[in-house]
Amino acid sequence: MQSTMMNTPLSLNHLLERAGQLFHGNEIVSRLPDKSLRRHTYGEFYRRTRSLAAGLRKLGLKKGERVATLCWNHHAHLEAYFGIPAAGGVMHTLNLRLSPDEIGWIAGDAKDRFLIVDDVLLPLYRQLAGKHAFDKVIVFPFSGAAVPAEFTDYEAVLAEADPDSFRYAEHDENDPVAMCYTSGTTGRPKGVAYSHRSTILHTLVASLGDFWGLRGTDVVMPVTPMFHANSWGMPYGAVMMGVKLVFPGPHLHPDDLLDLMQLEPPTLSLGVPTIWMSLIQAFDAAQEQGSPNHGRWKLPAGMRSLVGGAAVPESLIRAFDRHGIWILQGWGMTETSPVCTISYPRAELRDADGDEKYRRAAMAGVPVPLVDLRVMGDSGQQPWDGKAVGEIQVRGPFITGSYHAVPLDPGKFTEDGWLRTGDVASVDELGFVRITDRTKDLIKSGGEWISSVDLENALMAHPAVAEAAVVAIPDEKWSERPLACVVLKKGADAHPDALNAHLLEHSFAKWQLPERYEFIDAVPRTSTGKFWKLKLRERFPR
Ligand code: ADP
């Protein structure tokens, strides 16, 4: 017997059509370079996106060709998310925080044909132009200034195209729609290509009630860059549900984000932990009498915040909860679309006390539907007992099975077809994943592993500590020992003895305490805003 269901391909074009039909009145707000706000309706988004698709085709874009974007978070980037695939192209988001050399290399590796770039990023484009020749450079006049004559004007492309006569490119659901490169913390960046099918399935799963819980009445502020793992897939979810979007543009300083939250209070926001750490520090500092920002901000009580990309310290979750903001932690990677696990209060935790609630929220969470997850140790697959650790391996319809134009590497994929994530974790009886480290960040001391993540989280719970990153330093006797790099809060003081006493109180054993403390001004950040431990290891080789 055969199923009687239609075999309609899953398609991003469906989400675009749906948005045009159903949500024409809701708003998409973008912060411009001069900090003013620009408003579009979904109706305008729909027409502009179809115009972009028609325009790209007129410029000669053929099926499967890559159109790169070098853009901040704003309405035109959202148009690219849907307009490029609508024309049959593949959107390739370039990370504007990488060096011009790296960006040029990545564009070359992906064979990007066209580029859509913000006018305010033209100085960066000019530095990488010699590394890769795009057939066409389409400049989005984000600042409002006229586009220099040697480039193609994004607005002119849209104005000269006809959205009404545009026809979507024929496609299979497995055709690629977008690609993104890993940040290359281990070796050269590698390309991951998402399909219509993987994107739609990821969007449906991530939007579920216990995860993003997207509602039509939500106001979503994506602080996570749209060039980093597709802003975790939120642009697709937002368009699917027609939710109001508030894009911060290039203004990611905590003061700017707090200002924007006053103007357009979000009900849901997303970003990496370092963003929310600086935001809460700026907010707390403004509460003090005499602060120049005293009384300037209120936090949007009731907001949900999706935080991931790096371990979320329990102290951060508690700090926001005091203001009525709940942090929902997720774990994933560029290779996994990216959402793989989310920490949420399962039914079994209904009666859990407050401490248990925070403890769980500080874990990576449980695997989402369609993701198979296992933990592999030296002795094989590990039990879900909350103790046994090993490498997390995942598989599923929105997890990459290879890298673009790279031979299959057994270091990255197992023989039986699972992705090796390089993250070390245990899983407990309820399926909660607890990440202890990345394989390369683990500290092996006298034959025992010390989790840098656990030490960092405990240190960041000390009232004097703003940020902490722990790395391994070589040791003759123990092979490796932990070095704690600590950033103190403004005006605060803490002696290593006090920090050690605090760690002992947090149930660390004496041998797990840092060998040494370095007090530094700031923890270096990666191109995606995470703590950059490699830089610390270089700075403190011993
Ligand atoms: P990169 O960190 O190199 O920029 P990705 O953005 O793809 O690359 O990041 C994926 C990695 O981020 C994961 O492999 C994991 O190490 C880390 N990560 C993501 N979310 C979490 C989390 N909730 N807790 C701990 N680590 C996380």
Side-chain angles (χ1 to χ4, degrees), residues 18-39:
R18 178 183 150 79
Q21 225 163 30
L22 294 175
F23 310 125
H24 36 85
N26 212 2
E27 274 186 322
I28 297 166
V29 182
S30 302
R31 201 160 203 202
L32 304 185
D34 67 1
K35 297 200 179 173
S36 63
L37 299 181
R38 173 93 186 263
R39 290 165 198 283

Side-chain angles (χ1 to χ4, degrees), residues 426-476:
S426 61
V427 184
D428 69 13
E429 295 81 356
L430 288 180
F432 275 80
V433 174
R434 214 176 77 78
I435 304 216
T436 36
D437 253 311
R438 279 184 154 186
T439 333
K440 60 183 188 301
D441 292 336
L442 273 173
I443 303 163
K444 191 157 204 187
S445 172
E448 297 281 350
W449 297 110
I450 299 178
S451 159
S452 65
V453 173
D454 285 352
L455 278 173
E456 287 158 7
N457 285 347
L459 285 169
M460 285 191 272
H462 188 281
V465 175
E467 295 174 357
V470 176
V471 294
I473 44 171
D475 185 276
E476 264 180 31

Side-chain angles (χ1 to χ4, degrees), residues 183 185 228 308-311 329-334 423 435 438 528 530:
S183 32
T185 33
H228 183 216
Q329 173 162 200
W331 164 82
M333 38 198 322
T334 305
D423 284 323
I435 304 216
R438 279 184 154 186
T528 51
K530 307 181 192 183

Side-chain angles (χ1 to χ4, degrees), residues 101-118:
D101 271 0
E102 283 173 299
I103 304 175
W105 183 87
I106 288 172
D109 191 64
K111 299 198 173 65
D112 293 336
R113 179 155 180 232
F114 296 166
L115 171 72
I116 298 176
V117 53
D118 287 349

Side-chain angles (χ1 to χ4, degrees), residues 12-17 44-58 61-69 75-92 114 116 138 154 157-158 161 163 166-169 171 176-178 196 226 235-236 239:
L12 284 188
N13 303 335
H14 168 75
L15 299 193
L16 179 58
E17 279 301 310
E44 288 168 292
F45 159 73
Y46 172 71
R47 286 187 69 76
R48 286 175 56 88
T49 301
R50 285 178 57 102
S51 296
L52 172 64
L56 287 171
R57 193 167 292 148
K58 225 162 122 183
L61 186 75
K62 291 198 275 302
K63 194 154 175 223
E65 287 183 336
R66 268 72 77 200
V67 180
T69 61
H75 64 277
H77 210 169
L78 187 70
E79 289 155 14
Y81 264 62
F82 287 86
I84 296 168
V90 180
M91 172 190 65
H92 175 200
F114 296 166
I116 298 176
I138 305 167
Y154 181 90
V157 170
L158 267 58
F166 171 73
R167 294 283 164 270
Y168 292 107
H171 73 82
V177 289
H196 280 279
M226 290 166 87
Y236 302 113
V239 170

